Each structure stands twice: as C-alpha cells, then as structure tokens.
Amino acid sequence: MNRAQSLSPLAAALLLSAALGLNACDPGEPVTLRLGGQEGESHFINSKFNSSMVAEGYHTFAHDYDLTTTGAMRWSLTLDRAKSNENLVWHLEVLDRKQERKFRKSCGPLCRKELGDPIGHLETPMHQRGVTQILELTPKGELIDIQVEAKDQTLKSKLEQASESAYRENMALPFLLFPEGPVRPGATWDGGTVKLPLDIMGVITFTRQMKLANITGEGSERTARIEYRTAKFSHAPAKNPEVEFIVTSAEIRGHTLFSLPKKRMVAAIVNMNVVWQIRPPGKSSNEMRIKGEWNIAHTTEEAGRGGS
C-alpha cells in the first residue's frame, strides 16, 4: 500500500480542507474591476503636474524650461438614478492651484511663437480654482458626459467658449477602461484610445494596453495595481503654413492604485514622453531646424495616503 492510500479518512479530509483554504486566499484569484461608491461620499485628492521641454536648433537657439503645477480637489459622488442606470456622476471641485515656471534657457518671444506652447491645451480654464467638473462615468470606466461650471462670471464665460470635445479629450487620459469580465493578476486588456490635442503640435492619439500587475492588502486595504503603456500612437499635424511639427515618438507609461472595497482610484502616476522635430513646409527631413523633447509627469493621490 502506498503512502497516499495509507491516509486515514480524517487526515485526507484535513488535507482537502487546507488545500481549499489556501485556494480561497490565493492572491491570484480573479477579480471584477468596476467603479462604484456610496451616494454622497466625498474625498480629497492632491495632484502635481510637472512638464519640461528641451529644444535645440539653428544658430544659438535653445529653449529649456520646467512647469510645475500643484493643486487640490474635492471629489463628490452622486448616482445617476434619474436615468435608471448604474452610471456614476463625480463632481470635481478645484479648491486650490499653484503654478511655477522656470526657464533655464529661453529662446525669447520669436521662437516661442514658432514653438507655441504645448502645455496650452492642458492649461484650460477647467483647471482653475473655483471650477467644478461634472463627469458621468459607467462602472466600466467609460466617460459618457462632461460639464464644467463656475460661479465667477469671467471664468464662466471662458468656459463657455471651449468645446465639450476639448474637455472630454483633456479628461480622458487619466481614466482607466476596465475589462469586460473578471481578471487575474498578470492579465492584459485593450485600454482604448485617447486623443491629446497639443496646440501647435497637432493631435497625438494613443492606444493603451492595460495590465493587472498585482493585488495587495486585505479587507478594507485590498488594492489592485493597474499598469498601462502605449501600444501604438499616431500623429495628426496641425495646419500651420509657417512651421511643421513632426512627432517621431510618443509614449505613455503609468500605474493606478485602485481600491477594491472603495471601487475607486486612490493614487496614480502618469508619465509621457514626446520627441519631435520642426521644419519649414516643403523642406526635406535632413533640413530640420529644431529638435526637441517634451516630458510630463502627473501624480494624483488621496489626501492623507502614505504614498504610491
């Protein structure tokens, strides 16, 4: 008789129970990722946005700067019961905002006119203090609708001049698109496409791939780390008779910490790198005048959290 056959029924039952118990606690068990929350809940988010550009070219041209923006927002949740669906409506109120720009080298007004300001679209009135952004999202993370409000009349008029599509494109980048069904750590899925208008640079379209990297913590601290990167990108240049921007590479990488009990993001980091060239219209690629690189790093974190 072998060893397996010599086990008593009691011992076999104990082994089976232990195996089932280990499987139930297995960190690799599938989870369903969905947004949710309680009606009326609110929390505070701190954010930091850093942008840097380095450009060099003909003659003594040099353009090198950093832009750092810090802010605080209050997120409040209402459920879209009026439409009889499961959509969530988040109210994002901008409470505070500070900005600092440093030029290590400045090419002056002339080349700034040529370069434009790729930050321009990202620095729309919707980010100003006193603005409330109202976002309707499906539990899967799809952005259905966006509205922007302000009590200040001057700011309100500026908001009314911007298009809804600009707001939608501006807000789509940090949001996650969740997979259809349950997934285990290591699973990947299509994260959808995001369009990023960049003023004189034109529009960059990113196709993202997402991955459930791991799940940590227990109970109320159970957190999923979701990573994402660029699967591919495309560039549509702006129509400009004086200068042509050519984006040679563009990449987004980042991760989000998603609370499974709270069903929302608690921290996120997004990094983007864009390498570009400028040439006069009609010139060949070996007659480029200016080459540059633009980097952004955007971090968000729930107030009072220890780190991401």
Side-chain angles (χ1 to χ4, degrees):
M1 182 181 292
N2 61 35
R3 185 174 181 181
Q5 291 175 323
S6 66
L7 287 175
S8 69
L10 177 59
L14 289 173
L15 283 175
L16 179 60
S17 298
L20 290 174
L22 288 173
N23 185 62
C25 298
D26 181 7
E29 67 185 61
V31 295
T32 300
L33 300 169
R34 289 293 183 268
L35 292 173
Q38 300 295 321
E39 177 83 28
E41 73 171 77
S42 66
H43 60 283
F44 295 90
I45 291 285
N46 294 324
S47 69
K48 183 176 181 180
F49 179 93
N50 178 261
S51 171
S52 63
M53 177 185 285
V54 178
E56 295 180 338
Y58 58 96
H59 302 306
T60 58
F61 175 92
H63 192 54
D64 187 350
Y65 76 88
D66 277 327
L67 172 69
T68 301
T69 304
T70 57
M73 294 184 292
R74 175 169 52 215
W75 292 49
S76 303
L77 175 65
T78 59
L79 303 179
D80 195 3
R81 303 187 188 282
K83 295 183 180 179
S84 300
N85 58 33
E86 297 180 346
N87 289 355
L88 301 95
V89 180
W90 282 103
H91 294 246
L92 282 64
E93 182 184 359
V94 182
L95 301 175
D96 190 27
R97 183 177 176 81
K98 297 177 182 178
Q99 190 174 92
E100 181 181 8
R101 189 187 295 259
K102 293 181 179 179
F103 283 96
R104 287 180 291 275
K105 297 178 183 178
S106 176
C107 55
L110 178 61
C111 71
R112 285 188 204 175
K113 181 180 179 181
E114 282 191 347
L115 282 173
D117 186 0
I119 312 299
H121 183 81
L122 301 178
E123 295 296 308
T124 63
M126 68 184 292
H127 296 119
Q128 300 300 314
R129 182 177 180 178
V131 170
T132 299
Q133 305 159 21
I134 305 173
L135 310 177
E136 180 182 354
L137 298 160
T138 68
K140 190 181 172 184
E142 298 160 311
L143 182 60
I144 301 299
D145 187 36
I146 180 168
Q147 299 179 29
V148 187
E149 298 179 350
K151 295 179 180 180
D152 181 82
Q153 291 301 313
T154 302
L155 189 54
K156 186 176 181 179
S157 64
K158 291 181 180 179
L159 292 170
E160 292 172 349
Q161 294 173 11
S163 65
E164 179 182 339
S165 61
Y167 293 142
R168 182 182 295 271
E169 291 161 351
N170 197 289
M171 291 301 299
L173 185 61
F175 285 103
L176 301 177
L177 185 64
F178 297 123
E180 292 290 344
V183 289
R184 297 177 183 273
T188 61
W189 63 92
D190 179 7
T193 59
V194 175
K195 290 185 177 181
L196 190 63
L198 294 173
D199 195 52
I200 197 173
M201 280 189 181
V203 178
I204 302 177
T205 301
F206 296 93
T207 300
R208 300 178 299 177
Q209 183 182 62
M210 297 188 173
K211 175 183 179 180
L212 177 57
N214 57 51
I215 298 174
T216 59
E218 297 180 359
S220 62
E221 299 298 321
R222 201 156 182 248
T223 304
R225 179 185 170 104
I226 301 169
E227 299 176 347
Y228 41 92
R229 64 176 182 83
T230 302
K232 62 180 180 179
F233 83 94
S234 61
H235 175 233
K239 295 181 179 179
N240 189 318
E242 298 179 357
V243 68
E244 180 183 3
F245 266 93
I246 299 174
V247 174
T248 57
S249 69
E251 183 179 28
I252 292 176
R253 285 187 178 273
H255 72 264
T256 292
L257 298 183
F258 185 82
S259 169
L260 294 173
K262 297 177 182 177
K263 297 185 178 182
R264 60 174 169 81
M265 175 199 78
V266 291
I269 296 176
V270 181
N271 294 289
M272 185 171 72
N273 172 267
V274 179
V275 179
W276 48 266
Q277 298 176 331
I278 299 176
R279 71 181 182 196
K283 297 294 183 180
S284 63
S285 59
N286 61 357
E287 295 179 297
M288 295 289 183
R289 295 189 299 168
I290 303 171
K291 297 181 179 181
E293 185 171 351
W294 182 47
N295 290 280
I296 69 168
H298 187 201
T299 61
T300 54
E301 187 172 64
E302 185 174 345
R305 187 178 172 84
S308 58

